[in-house]
Amino acid sequence: MRFINPKTDYAFKKIFGSAESKDILISFLNALIYDGNSTIEDLEIINPNLPPKVEGLKDTYLDVKAKLKDGTLVIIEMQVLNVQSFGKRVLFNAAKTYAFQLQKGEGYRMLKPVIALTLTDFEMFADRHHFTSRFVYREVSDGSVYPENDIELVFVELPKFTKELPELETITDKWIYFIKSARSLASIPENMDNIPELQRAFEIANQANLSPTEIEDLERREMFIYDQQGAVALGREEGREQGLQEGRQEGRLEGKKEGRQEGRLEGKKEEQRIIAQKLLTVLDDEAIAATTGLSLEVVRELREKMN
């Protein structure tokens, strides 16, 4: 038995966002947001893509979006690549989803809470050891919660989850393990097959149930992700080393703080350019600019030089 990788966008949407995924998504959200309690009894899976209602405002592309029985909106994103300003994008998507609930003439009392659940295949918060984090609005001096705390950001950092199969105790553990490790499993683990929704998720993820075309498409997507991760990692390593060398040399020649700082800044720019050059064959200009922090004009100049 071989399972598709839930961390790819297609597989994640197929498992959690399709017509037959309602019970699976309820169990998944209860596990990750409500510590395994049966808080969510019912929900509606809706179109996750939110087009802009204001000219010039960015589109919102999510993996899964659901409306709970009480009207709360839950937006879910599985992110594999650590692109620049990703944290800002999460906040933007949550704020946009919250604001665009209202139709013309409706009052603010109609607004319902928004929960943004984000799973990352990289570490976002280096100073935190726990694999889950929750952020809400709080008063700075005493930590009291804002009365209308309608936007909540929930993060699950997969690399920080290190439990092995025998250590899985809670339904939360088991769902996170499924997301992180399903691709490497050859069968449904015995300590996970007693949860109907999780077993159903494995069945949907079973590669035997997919057509050859779907399998080929998934493999291309997975290889694309690996290429992106490799290109970014290699580019950062090469750019960092070059930046350090230039920074040391500049610092020795000038003997001044300004020289060292200039060297570091130039090294960072060089790192961004190296990453961008490695991504030219796999990403479009806009995606490269978002990933590296370079301007679109600089990325286009690099592409022209390559051609």
Side-chain angles (χ1 to χ4, degrees):
M1 191 177 293
R2 183 177 173 86
F3 302 103
I4 59 179
N5 187 354
K7 290 185 285 189
T8 62
D9 56 351
Y10 177 86
F12 192 88
K13 291 177 183 178
K14 186 175 182 65
I15 295 166
F16 296 104
S18 59
E20 69 264 35
S21 302
K22 182 176 176 179
D23 292 341
I24 296 173
L25 185 58
I26 289 174
S27 176
F28 180 72
L29 294 180
N30 276 330
L32 270 64
I33 297 177
Y34 298 110
D35 298 322
N37 298 312
S38 300
T39 303
I40 302 173
E41 297 178 355
D42 196 13
L43 56 75
E44 175 190 1
I45 299 175
I46 55 182
N47 180 9
N49 295 332
L50 186 63
K53 293 185 178 181
V54 179
E55 186 177 354
L57 194 62
K58 287 182 176 292
D59 287 351
T60 298
Y61 295 101
L62 306 164
D63 290 323
V64 180
K65 183 178 179 182
K67 178 184 286 188
L68 307 187
K69 193 174 182 179
D70 65 357
T72 297
L73 294 171
V74 181
I75 55 176
I76 308 154
E77 185 172 6
M78 174 71 237
Q79 181 69 15
V80 174
L81 190 64
N82 187 8
V83 299
Q84 188 176 50
S85 302
F86 175 68
K88 290 182 180 294
R89 190 177 88 189
V90 172
L91 185 59
F92 173 83
N93 288 342
K96 185 178 176 184
T97 302
Y98 183 70
F100 282 4
Q101 295 179 67
L102 297 184
Q103 303 299 319
K104 187 175 182 179
E106 291 183 335
Y108 297 120
R109 62 185 178 81
M110 303 298 293
L111 289 169
K112 298 295 183 181
V114 170
I115 300 173
L117 172 61
T118 305
L119 297 91
T120 65
D121 202 26
F122 53 86
E123 291 190 5
M124 281 197 68
F125 312 111
D127 58 337
R128 283 184 52 80
H129 298 295
H130 197 53
F131 56 84
T132 59
S133 303
R134 304 176 77 104
F135 297 92
V136 296
Y137 293 109
R138 292 185 180 274
E139 204 283 327
V140 173
S141 60
D142 62 19
S144 58
V145 177
Y146 188 69
E148 302 293 342
N149 218 324
D150 278 357
I151 297 180
E152 183 173 1
L153 307 181
V154 182
F155 294 89
V156 178
E157 299 169 88
L158 296 180
K160 292 181 180 179
F161 183 82
T162 57
K163 291 185 179 181
E164 299 297 335
L165 264 174
E167 302 173 290
L168 304 181
E169 298 176 351
T170 67
I171 190 172
T172 304
D173 290 344
K174 294 175 181 180
W175 270 118
I176 296 176
Y177 187 87
F178 168 79
I179 295 292
K180 185 174 181 179
S181 305
R183 188 72 172 98
S184 62
L185 299 176
S187 62
I188 303 175
E190 292 183 3
N191 63 343
M192 297 174 73
D193 62 3
N194 61 339
I195 302 171
E197 296 82 7
L198 193 49
Q199 186 170 7
R200 178 63 181 142
F202 272 109
E203 291 173 2
I204 296 176
N206 188 348
Q207 193 164 294
N209 296 326
L210 302 180
S211 68
T213 302
E214 288 179 307
I215 293 173
E216 184 179 352
D217 184 50
L218 274 168
E219 289 177 348
R220 282 200 304 268
R221 290 169 184 260
E222 197 166 10
M223 186 59 65
F224 177 69
I225 289 172
Y226 292 149
D227 287 345
Q228 284 180 300
Q229 289 175 322
V232 171
L234 181 60
R236 283 177 177 162
E237 183 179 347
E238 292 178 354
R240 188 180 298 112
E241 181 61 29
Q242 185 166 343
L244 286 172
Q245 292 175 0
E246 292 180 1
R248 293 192 191 102
Q249 183 178 4
E250 186 72 18
R252 286 194 297 270
L253 292 174
E254 298 293 335
K256 297 179 181 180
K257 181 179 179 180
E258 290 81 359
R260 291 192 297 271
Q261 180 65 19
E262 183 178 345
R264 285 194 294 269
L265 290 174
E266 183 58 36
K268 180 174 177 59
K269 291 179 181 178
E270 183 62 26
E271 174 187 343
Q272 291 173 315
R273 288 193 290 268
I274 291 172
I275 294 173
Q277 287 170 340
K278 293 181 180 297
L279 294 176
L280 287 173
T281 58
V282 293
L283 293 178
D284 60 29
D285 293 349
E286 289 76 9
I288 294 173
T291 301
T292 62
L294 294 173
S295 68
L296 193 56
E297 182 180 359
V298 171
V299 174
R300 286 170 177 165
E301 289 177 355
L302 289 174
R303 189 176 294 280
E304 288 177 1
K305 290 180 181 179
M306 182 183 74
N307 296 332

